[in-house]
Amino acid sequence: MVSIEEEFSLLSFRLSNYFRGFLVVKITGQTLEKFINLCIHKGIYLWDIKRLEDAIIAKIRVEDFRTIRPIIRRAHCKIHLVSRYGFPFFLYRMRYRKMLIAGGVLFCVCLYMLSSFVWFIETVGLISLPEEAVLNAAKQAGLKSGTTKNKVDVKLVEHTLLVQIPEIAWVGVTLKGTKAVIEVAEKTVVRVEDKSPAHIIAAKDGLMEEIIALVGEAAVQRGEMVRQGQLLINGALVPKVKDFAGNLVPVPDSPPQLTHAQGIAKARIWYQAYGESGLMKQIDRRTGRIFTHIVLKVGQVEKIIKDGLVPFGYYETEEAYKRVPSWRNKHIPVESKIITFYEIELQEAPLTVDEAREEAKRMAFEKLQHQIPEGVQVLNRNIEVLKTAETDIVRVKVIVETLEDIGQIQKINSTQ
Amino acid sequence: MTLRMQRQRLQKKLANLLEIPDDIVLDLPRITLLGNMQMLVENHKGIIEYTNKNVRIRLKRGELVLVGVGLLLGNLQAEELIVEGEITELRFVE
């Protein structure tokens, strides 16, 4: 039942004992109880008293050691000093270890001096600006790694950065310990549009489905087949006038007006692929026998715990990583890699015609996947089973129809 | 003897009347035990005997005999005293 107050007083008691120093003494004699009572009476504080056969060992304050002498004499006892504890005695011992103290002082001085420099410069908030540009500008204003902190004029650095780099809208410099943080907010610069004269040409073969010229003149019409590289929207406009009948005719001998063609050019595009499958299929089946390698990785060092030659002819591998869960923001760089080898058996299984067709289809679609760009609108899928003379093979042709914008910008050479 | 008992009874009545704790008026020891491992005695009158197995503490009237194993005097002051160790027996002797 030690209350907080008592606990605290115990701590302060120990602390004060340490700083004032205390002695461990051994008192021998016949009338030790008398000695203890006399000590209580005189207000000499003893603690941690331990009884031996014919002696007691007790702790006593340094200043009481002098006043204890007459009591010892009165109780007909003898006193021996066993050991000394506390800060005063520590200092006393330290007198002979001047270099240790000098080292301690030197350490403190070094730490203080090193902490008064800027060692690291960090930039926050950069999006398109290169970090070096900001750091160079900061260097010119006097902020670089290795300068003393009180020489860095934060206001001046901020001002210089703002003046030197026009892309910066706001900048804030803060010194945190030995690190300077340059916080930058960049201006959003309006992107300059490309105005150079250009045509729009077809990137792929296809059937034009939609052609809208925003700038320039449409060179093809809806429903027209186009070849790759064909002009779709003309950026070189020939001035035209109306003739008497009301038709537009080009003005003879006038140079074409060059523009940067813009517009939408959507076309239907067909992709096709073949797939085939025999009526037998190889199946990989795991036999259930496994073999493992274990690698332990600490930091960059890899330590192989278990490896060896894989005793299977055909096998599949799986890798699994296990790492120590990170605690707060600290990542513990220890992980283990377990590679498991599964033995497999190759078996041949007969396929029905339907299954073979599915297999062939799957193969064809797999081939198509490399050709069709991602995210395009698929209009139609056509699967056609090809009739062949062979009976043990199924061939499939797959045609996928998509709608894509096939417009591609092609610059007009001014010399042309 | 009777005179002393009468006086003690009177003091006790007075203490009850004034609502003063008995231990102050009667000069009794206040003993706090922490299980069998620590004993705090306040208002003791000194030590009669102290060994590893035996501690006898003088009280105003009689003595307190402690029997145990590996007894230590933890804190020795004019007002209070702490005995640490394994206490097996506690006895008041007139």
Side-chain angles (χ1 to χ4, degrees):
Chain A
M1 290 258 286
V2 180
S3 67
I4 294 164
E5 213 170 292
E6 276 171 33
E7 193 78 67
F8 179 73
S9 77
L10 197 70
L11 181 72
S12 70
F13 167 73
R14 284 208 177 136
L15 271 178
S16 85
N17 276 338
Y18 178 75
F19 280 106
R20 290 156 78 179
F22 62 91
L23 308 168
V24 178
V25 291
K26 184 177 180 182
I27 299 131
T28 47
Q30 293 302 312
T31 52
L32 290 167
E33 283 83 6
K34 189 181 174 185
F35 165 76
I36 290 171
N37 283 332
L38 279 169
C39 280
I40 294 169
H41 203 69
K42 294 273 179 190
I44 289 169
Y45 181 51
L46 299 172
W47 73 98
D48 284 358
I49 303 163
K50 204 189 219 166
R51 177 84 195 208
L52 301 178
E53 277 302 302
D54 55 346
I56 55 171
I57 287 177
K59 287 175 184 166
I60 183 172
R61 284 185 187 136
V62 176
E63 63 260 36
D64 286 339
F65 192 66
R66 220 177 279 271
T67 49
I68 211 170
R69 295 258 167 187
I71 299 169
I72 293 283
R73 234 171 284 135
R74 267 179 68 185
H76 302 291
C77 293
K78 273 179 187 161
I79 188 161
H80 300 281
L81 192 61
V82 178
S83 53
R84 299 175 291 197
Y85 291 100
F87 188 64
F89 302 114
F90 173 75
L91 273 189
Y92 189 80
R93 280 201 304 275
M94 280 302 117
R95 283 200 320 185
Y96 303 106
R97 308 195 57 180
K98 291 207 174 67
M99 286 322 283
L100 183 71
I101 297 163
V105 171
L106 192 70
F107 170 75
C108 292
V109 168
C110 281
L111 197 67
Y112 176 75
M113 276 172 54
L114 290 176
S115 69
S116 63
F117 287 97
V118 173
W119 292 118
F120 309 102
I121 300 174
E122 205 180 275
T123 52
V124 179
L126 288 180
I127 302 160
S128 59
L129 272 177
E131 197 174 9
E132 287 126 65
V134 175
L135 293 182
N136 276 336
K139 201 182 213 170
Q140 281 176 29
L143 176 62
K144 61 178 182 208
S145 89
T147 45
T148 50
K149 274 198 276 186
N150 51 13
K151 272 191 186 163
V152 175
D153 186 348
V154 171
K155 284 264 147 56
L156 180 74
V157 174
E158 287 176 358
H159 186 73
T160 314
L161 281 171
L162 271 181
V163 169
Q164 288 210 348
I165 306 171
E167 289 93 336
I168 292 177
W170 173 88
V171 64
V173 176
T174 44
L175 296 173
K176 288 178 184 166
T178 58
K179 190 168 79 176
V181 180
I182 303 175
E183 234 178 301
V184 175
E186 284 183 25
K187 281 178 194 164
T188 46
V189 181
V190 180
R191 221 177 64 220
V192 183
E193 269 182 67
D194 189 4
K195 294 276 188 192
S196 62
H199 295 304
I200 289 179
I201 60 163
K204 290 172 180 171
D205 296 356
L207 175 69
M208 288 315 294
E209 182 69 25
E210 194 178 1
I211 177 110
I212 301 167
L214 299 173
V215 176
E217 197 182 20
V220 290
Q221 283 180 339
R222 181 169 184 266
E224 206 173 308
M225 283 297 296
V226 292
R227 300 232 134 250
Q228 187 178 354
Q230 190 179 338
L231 185 67
L232 298 180
I233 299 174
N234 195 348
L237 298 177
V238 179
K240 287 177 180 175
V241 287
K242 276 187 180 169
D243 65 358
F244 302 112
N247 297 322
L248 284 169
V249 287
V251 179
D253 294 335
S254 67
Q257 206 182 330
L258 297 178
T259 57
H260 183 82
Q262 275 179 34
I264 298 164
K266 283 191 177 166
R268 285 172 187 254
I269 296 172
W270 289 269
Y271 297 94
Q272 59 177 347
Y274 290 95
E276 57 178 48
S277 171
L279 289 176
M280 293 297 266
K281 192 197 178 190
Q282 278 203 337
I283 301 173
D284 303 344
R285 208 170 60 86
R286 290 187 183 180
T287 59
R289 285 170 64 199
I290 56 169
F291 186 75
T292 50
H293 283 180
I294 300 169
V295 178
L296 186 72
K297 198 173 164 193
V298 180
Q300 294 297 317
V301 186
E302 285 195 345
K303 167 88 183 143
I304 295 163
I305 290 179
K306 182 173 176 282
D307 65 347
L309 210 68
V310 182
F312 312 135
Y314 295 99
Y315 57 83
E316 291 177 327
T317 55
E318 270 178 26
E319 287 187 14
Y321 293 90
K322 281 178 186 165
R323 58 171 52 131
V324 182
S326 53
W327 180 74
R328 293 202 184 165
N329 281 332
K330 290 185 181 59
H331 173 68
I332 303 159
V334 177
E335 63 175 38
S336 69
K337 184 166 88 174
I338 300 168
I339 309 166
T340 312
F341 300 88
Y342 295 93
E343 188 187 29
I344 53 173
E345 224 168 35
L346 301 177
Q347 283 187 334
E348 293 225 314
L351 288 180
T352 64
V353 177
D354 280 354
E355 279 172 343
R357 197 174 55 224
E358 285 302 311
E359 181 64 24
K361 232 161 82 181
R362 196 182 56 75
M363 265 173 68
F365 273 115
E366 213 165 84
K367 281 184 200 163
L368 276 180
Q369 242 167 26
H370 300 295
Q371 296 175 31
I372 302 175
E374 268 178 58
V376 296
Q377 192 187 344
V378 174
L379 296 175
N380 207 352
R381 273 178 234 261
N382 184 19
I383 299 153
E384 193 185 325
V385 180
L386 300 175
K387 295 207 165 61
T388 51
E390 299 145 283
T391 49
D392 58 342
I393 202 155
V394 179
R395 290 179 208 270
V396 166
K397 186 167 97 173
V398 175
I399 299 172
V400 174
E401 185 184 351
T402 61
L403 187 65
E404 286 174 49
D405 194 322
I406 57 165
Q408 191 183 32
I409 285 171
Q410 190 194 42
K411 288 206 172 138
I412 304 171
N413 275 338
S414 49
T415 51
Q416 271 185 327
Chain B
M1 198 64 181
T2 47
L3 192 72
R4 190 156 93 185
M5 280 171 73
Q6 268 181 350
R7 209 174 99 193
Q8 203 171 355
R9 208 174 293 152
L10 194 73
Q11 276 178 337
K12 199 163 183 177
K13 268 185 184 170
L14 192 70
N16 282 342
L17 193 71
L18 298 174
E19 290 183 1
I20 302 169
D22 287 348
D23 58 334
I24 292 171
V25 179
L26 301 176
D27 202 13
L28 294 173
R30 180 175 278 263
I31 300 167
T32 313
L33 269 172
L34 180 67
N36 68 340
M37 50 189 279
Q38 196 188 57
M39 186 180 78
L40 170 71
V41 186
E42 285 165 82
N43 200 12
H44 66 94
K45 299 294 175 202
I47 286 176
I48 303 166
E49 191 197 342
Y50 167 55
T51 64
N52 274 342
K53 295 169 187 148
N54 226 327
V55 181
R56 284 161 69 202
I57 299 162
R58 179 175 290 127
L59 304 175
K60 200 199 172 204
R61 286 189 55 208
E63 63 185 69
L64 175 62
V65 179
L66 251 159
V67 182
V69 182
L71 297 177
L72 297 176
L73 298 182
N75 193 340
L76 208 54
Q77 282 171 311
E79 283 302 309
E80 62 178 57
L81 179 158
I82 290 174
V83 183
E84 284 169 347
E86 199 188 321
I87 299 162
T88 53
E89 210 175 294
L90 193 63
R91 198 165 65 234
F92 287 94
V93 181
E94 272 295 314

